[in-house]
Amino acid sequence: GFPVTIRGPAYEAALLLKKESPDLALPFARKAQKLQPKEPWFMLNLIDLLEILGMYEEVADLKMELFAQNQDFEEAMDAAEIWNDLNNTKKLNKWLAEFIQRTEYQDEALKIELLRCKKIKKPLSYLKAIEKLHQRFPGNAMVLGSLAEAYELNKKYRQSEFCYRKLELEHPNDEKVHFAMAKLMAKQGQMDSCTAALRRGFNQKTESPFYKISVLEVLINEGNRVKDRQIQAWEMGQILERLHGGDPATFSVLGNLYSREGRIDSAIMWFRRDLEVMSSSTSKQDVFLQLIQLELLTYRDWE
């Protein structure tokens, strides 16, 4: 934690009152911070109280003071996100003007600018805002990805596909780019291209299979209605099992996949593995019910 040299009665009173009476604690926290303006510990305590009380404008100002002291850009990002949520255009514009041209902060600042653009309700106005940003930062992958999304939102599918293909060439190991392309191809009914993009995404070597699991769950759910999705789910499930079958996060979705395909013995195996690593009693109950249903099916087949 931060070194604290002098706490003092104001700080101690603020701590005592913080949980039960934050409104009463606030004046003491302000006094403690005023007495020690360069001490981050007191400032953080004041920020906590202000957040509890919903005084976010002051929170943002204090976070910028913290950034000025310790150069932790996460504090500056928090401040910008608050101003974006509160529609404080004046302070947000000033913030962006300061950081978006600085190389070391540019990517993070562009995230804030893109968040602001996403608040534009009209699809065409949103597209125009992203196009202007792309003109300023043509080489930024985040901006190009947002441009692809904006084109897609406006049903300009050819332009969107061009952006995604450029991203795939520049970032071939980014699974999210391939999955975005797959979604676009499916929207146009180009299922072979969709499957190819899904395959590229699932074959990426990633530490965590979380995003792949999310995509596979969508494919499984849609497979109940669309045959192409059912075929895709099976193929992508095989890839997931081959690359991440040892990760406990995959056990449940693989159990569901095999169950839906009617491969009962394999489904039972995956659900049993899931039970072995599961800690939540509520989740265990759900898996137990699935297992019982599958065991009954095997029993009837045996009969």
Side-chain angles (χ1 to χ4, degrees), residues 227-289:
K227 186 178 179 181
D228 283 319
R229 288 302 204 196
Q230 184 174 345
I231 295 169
Q232 289 172 339
W234 177 245
E235 181 181 343
M236 302 313 140
Q238 298 301 290
I239 297 174
L240 183 73
E241 181 179 352
R242 173 169 53 84
L243 294 179
H244 302 282
D247 191 320
T250 66
F251 295 168
S252 176
V253 70
L254 290 174
N256 286 324
L257 177 67
Y258 277 102
S259 176
R260 196 203 59 176
E261 291 291 322
R263 300 170 186 255
I264 306 303
D265 290 340
S266 295
I268 289 172
M269 176 195 73
W270 285 111
F271 282 132
R272 283 179 176 169
R273 287 188 183 182
D274 197 27
L275 278 176
E276 290 173 2
V277 299
M278 196 173 288
S279 57
S280 168
S281 57
T282 305
S283 300
K284 278 187 175 182
Q285 188 176 19
D286 294 338
V287 177
F288 268 125
L289 289 173

Side-chain angles (χ1 to χ4, degrees), residues 16-283:
L16 287 171
L17 292 167
K18 184 175 182 178
K19 186 175 180 181
E20 301 296 332
S21 303
D23 53 332
L24 296 177
L26 183 59
F28 293 101
R30 287 190 193 281
K31 184 174 182 180
Q33 195 268 326
K34 188 176 181 181
L35 291 169
Q36 299 266 342
K38 299 298 183 183
E39 179 53 69
W41 187 268
F42 298 119
M43 195 177 293
L44 288 169
N45 185 47
L46 178 55
I47 286 172
D48 285 344
L49 277 168
L50 292 167
E51 286 178 335
I52 292 170
L53 295 168
M55 301 170 71
Y56 297 111
E57 283 281 5
E58 193 171 347
V59 169
D61 292 338
L62 285 173
K63 282 183 173 289
M64 287 305 295
E65 286 186 35
L66 271 178
F67 166 70
Q69 288 184 29
N70 57 30
Q71 296 301 299
D72 182 353
F73 197 61
E74 286 187 15
E75 303 290 356
M77 285 285 289
D78 289 345
E81 288 174 5
I82 290 170
W83 289 324
N84 184 49
D85 290 341
L86 296 176
N87 295 315
N88 191 328
T89 305
K90 184 178 180 180
K91 287 189 176 180
L92 189 58
N93 285 342
K94 184 179 178 182
W95 188 96
L96 286 165
E98 180 179 353
F99 293 114
I100 206 164
Q101 296 295 343
R102 294 173 62 177
T103 305
E104 67 271 34
Y105 300 130
Q106 190 171 90
D107 279 349
E108 300 301 313
L110 280 170
K111 287 179 184 177
I112 297 297
E113 182 59 71
L114 290 170
L115 277 176
R116 180 163 70 166
C117 289
K118 283 184 180 295
K119 295 178 74 174
I120 300 173
K121 301 298 182 184
K122 294 181 179 179
L124 186 57
S125 299
Y126 172 62
L127 174 58
K128 288 180 178 178
I130 299 298
E131 284 178 330
K132 286 182 180 178
L133 195 62
H134 182 251
Q135 288 172 2
R136 291 176 62 196
F137 305 97
N140 188 275
M142 285 188 302
V143 176
L144 183 58
S146 295
L147 182 61
E149 291 175 356
Y151 278 134
E152 185 178 347
L153 189 63
N154 283 272
K155 298 183 179 179
K156 296 177 180 289
Y157 297 131
R158 290 183 64 184
Q159 293 96 320
S160 181
E161 182 180 344
F162 175 81
C163 293
Y164 281 131
R165 292 207 181 280
K166 186 176 180 182
L167 281 169
E168 282 189 320
L169 287 172
E170 294 174 356
H171 305 276
N173 298 323
D174 190 336
E175 58 184 346
K176 294 183 181 180
V177 173
H178 300 302
F179 292 146
M181 174 66 89
K183 184 180 176 183
L184 178 66
M185 293 296 101
K187 191 174 286 187
Q188 298 177 83
Q190 299 180 31
M191 301 312 293
D192 288 343
S193 296
C194 173
T195 302
L198 284 171
R199 196 180 296 120
R200 291 194 295 272
F202 272 87
N203 273 309
Q204 297 308 312
K205 293 181 180 179
T206 52
E207 290 185 14
S208 170
F210 173 77
Y211 201 76
K212 295 177 187 177
I213 290 170
S214 300
V215 173
L216 182 56
E217 286 174 341
V218 171
L219 295 176
I220 290 172
N221 292 333
E222 293 184 355
N224 296 326
R225 305 186 307 275
V226 184
K227 186 178 179 181
D228 283 319
R229 288 302 204 196
Q230 184 174 345
I231 295 169
Q232 289 172 339
W234 177 245
E235 181 181 343
M236 302 313 140
Q238 298 301 290
I239 297 174
L240 183 73
E241 181 179 352
R242 173 169 53 84
L243 294 179
H244 302 282
D247 191 320
T250 66
F251 295 168
S252 176
V253 70
L254 290 174
N256 286 324
L257 177 67
Y258 277 102
S259 176
R260 196 203 59 176
E261 291 291 322
R263 300 170 186 255
I264 306 303
D265 290 340
S266 295
I268 289 172
M269 176 195 73
W270 285 111
F271 282 132
R272 283 179 176 169
R273 287 188 183 182
D274 197 27
L275 278 176
E276 290 173 2
V277 299
M278 196 173 288
S279 57
S280 168
S281 57
T282 305
S283 300

